[in-house]
Every structure is written in C-alpha cells, then in structure tokens.
Amino acid sequence: MTIKLEVKLDRHLGIQETAFGPVEVDLRQYLVMAQNEFTDFRWVHLGYICEPSDKNPNPPFNGLEQFRVLPQSIKDEIVQRVRELLQLPTIKVHEPLEPVVVAEEDETDDDDVDA
Amino acid sequence: MAIDTGHGATITFGTQGGTWRCIRIPGHAETRPVVDTTYLATTTTRTNMPGDLKECSTFTVQVQFQGNQGLPTLTTAETITITHPLASGGATAATVAGTGYVTRRKYPDMETNALQVAEFDIQWDGGTGPTFTAAT
C-alpha cells in the first residue's frame, strides 16, 4: 500500500514593528509542511529551510521534533521533495537530538524475595 | 489558545544549521529610547518624547555541551528562528525570527559532578525583524 505524501513550502512571514505600524515581513525562509491520510490531510509543520541565495546557496533543512520522530524512509522522502522543490543538489539535514532517557531502577526486582 | 511553558522550544540557524540541547532560550528585549525635550521654560515636570528607533538586546542561549556538536560559529548574519512549543492540536508554533549573528560563545567549565554547560550570545542585526509569527 502506498500512502501519498504531500509536501509544500510555505513562506515564513513575520510581523515587524515599523514607523508605520506592524507590517508583514518575508523572512526569506520556508516552513516545510507535509500531510497524508494519516494526518487526516492536516498540514504538519516539520521544519524550516531558507530560500537559496548567493550568500546561502545550499541552505540546511532544520527539522523540528515532529520531523525527528518520523521513520527514516519518510524523512528521506520529505527531504527529497524539498530538494526537488528548491532544485538543490543536496540538502544537509539537522534535527533535534534524541532526548536522554535515564533508566529507572526496576522496582519489580526479585532480589528481596525469600527463597 | 492555552498558556504554556517554554518546554519544547528550539533555536535554528538558517545558514550554518546545527542542533543543540538548549536549557534556556531567553527572549530578547526591545527598547525605545526616551528623548529629553525639556527646555528652560518647561514647568513642573521634565518632558520627553519617544525615540525614533528601537534597540534589540543581545540574549544568551544556554546549552548542554556535546563534544561532537561544538557551538555555533561567529559568522555573518543569517536567519535565526526561535520556535515556541507547539500547542496541543496546533498546526504551527509561534516563532520569533529575523536576521542576526552570534556575538559570543563560551565553552563549558569542567567540573566534577556538574554537567558541561555552554553559552552563546545572539544579536539581531535589524536587517529583517526580529518578527513574531503567531501560532496557528
């Protein structure tokens, strides 16, 4: 079964205070959004990538936690789509580091049970 | 939309990339100077007016240092994005983003029984932003 994954790039617009009041500003960066039927076709924000420019010809993809937890195959597909949309030869991917899990002592240890 | 803690917030760099285990991402402060307009005939109270341009403060990000990650480099300005925690059921989190650069980085102190904590300072350059984008 193949689930169609849709990926789009939304321009990242911010509100900046100016002498003429708050105005919308294009941050020259995209929000990487994806959806499929498992998200109920709701767009999920997965990360950011800057608009390629002379100063930043090969921008990295900065994934968010929602991206980190995806299976590697889906991550690869998303990065591939982004690469195609921006016509970049390669994309370096950064994602949040896995949280450190501190192992708790097993309270069901049977050491105290009398033989 | 509900109020929330800062847990889950991240900072990203649009050119150099990189990921860090952030402990604290302080918000920057925006201040507008107060221009004194008092003159010799002013009565009762000194007078003033707001300045023309606001100033953005530097802010210091604290991270758990990892030997294989290092710290962000002191390069030219780039797009820096602080993403707030994503609210439950939300599509996109609120962001504060703009162009800025790292002005200082401090490697961790080495101590017994203490985590290695590093810091770096960021200054918005005023080129673009800093802007706020509301969560959706």
Side-chain angles (χ1 to χ4, degrees):
Chain A
M1 185 174 65
T2 304
I3 304 298
K4 186 168 162 42
L5 181 74
E6 286 187 64
V7 176
K8 69 171 181 174
L9 301 176
D10 283 349
R11 295 206 78 86
H12 190 180
L13 302 173
I15 301 297
Q16 184 169 3
E17 293 291 333
T18 71
F20 302 100
V23 295
E24 210 166 61
V25 171
D26 188 343
L27 289 156
R28 301 192 174 284
Q29 175 170 256
Y30 298 103
L31 307 183
V32 178
M33 311 288 287
Q35 70 167 12
N36 70 6
E37 68 178 60
F38 289 111
T39 69
D40 283 335
F41 298 104
R42 191 173 65 89
W43 290 102
V44 177
H45 180 203
L46 297 174
Y48 303 94
I49 189 163
C50 274
E51 190 180 270
S53 64
D54 290 344
K55 287 170 84 174
N56 191 10
N58 210 359
F61 171 68
N62 284 302
L64 294 169
E65 180 65 14
Q66 300 89 291
F67 177 78
R68 183 188 69 79
V69 296
L70 293 174
Q72 190 59 47
S73 59
I74 296 182
K75 288 183 191 179
D76 292 343
E77 189 177 346
I78 289 164
V79 172
Q80 171 70 15
R81 298 279 182 83
V82 173
R83 200 181 66 72
E84 288 167 4
L85 286 167
L86 292 176
Q87 299 178 325
L88 291 170
T90 56
I91 293 179
K92 191 170 184 187
V93 178
H94 297 278
E95 61 182 38
L97 304 164
E98 280 190 42
V100 176
V101 178
V102 179
E104 290 183 18
E105 283 189 26
D106 186 359
E107 291 179 2
T108 60
D109 200 333
D110 292 335
D111 284 354
D112 297 335
V113 175
D114 292 335
Chain B
M1 186 163 283
I3 56 175
D4 202 353
T5 67
H7 189 74
T10 58
I11 184 166
T12 59
F13 292 83
T15 302
Q16 61 178 295
T19 50
W20 295 275
R21 290 187 190 281
C22 293
I23 303 168
R24 189 164 187 268
I25 307 173
H28 71 276
E30 296 181 0
T31 53
R32 188 156 65 153
V34 176
V35 179
D36 195 342
T37 54
T38 308
Y39 68 113
L40 294 178
T42 302
T43 57
T44 315
T45 308
R46 294 188 74 89
T47 56
N48 60 64
M49 61 179 283
D52 299 310
L53 303 173
K54 70 176 180 187
E55 262 179 61
C56 292
S57 69
T58 298
F59 59 98
T60 303
V61 178
Q62 289 183 318
V63 299
Q64 293 176 354
F65 184 76
Q66 299 180 109
N68 62 348
Q69 291 287 326
L71 289 171
T73 55
L74 307 177
T75 58
T76 53
E78 61 188 304
T79 301
I80 298 172
T81 308
I82 296 160
T83 306
H84 292 202
L86 181 64
S88 176
T92 60
T95 63
V96 174
T99 49
Y101 50 91
V102 178
T103 58
R104 180 186 75 105
R105 56 182 184 169
K106 180 188 176 297
Y107 284 90
D109 299 332
M110 298 295 156
E111 294 176 70
T112 304
N113 287 347
L115 209 55
Q116 293 180 28
V117 174
E119 296 177 351
F120 51 88
D121 292 357
I122 290 172
Q123 175 69 56
W124 301 115
D125 71 354
T128 303
T131 71
F132 178 75
T133 306
T136 58

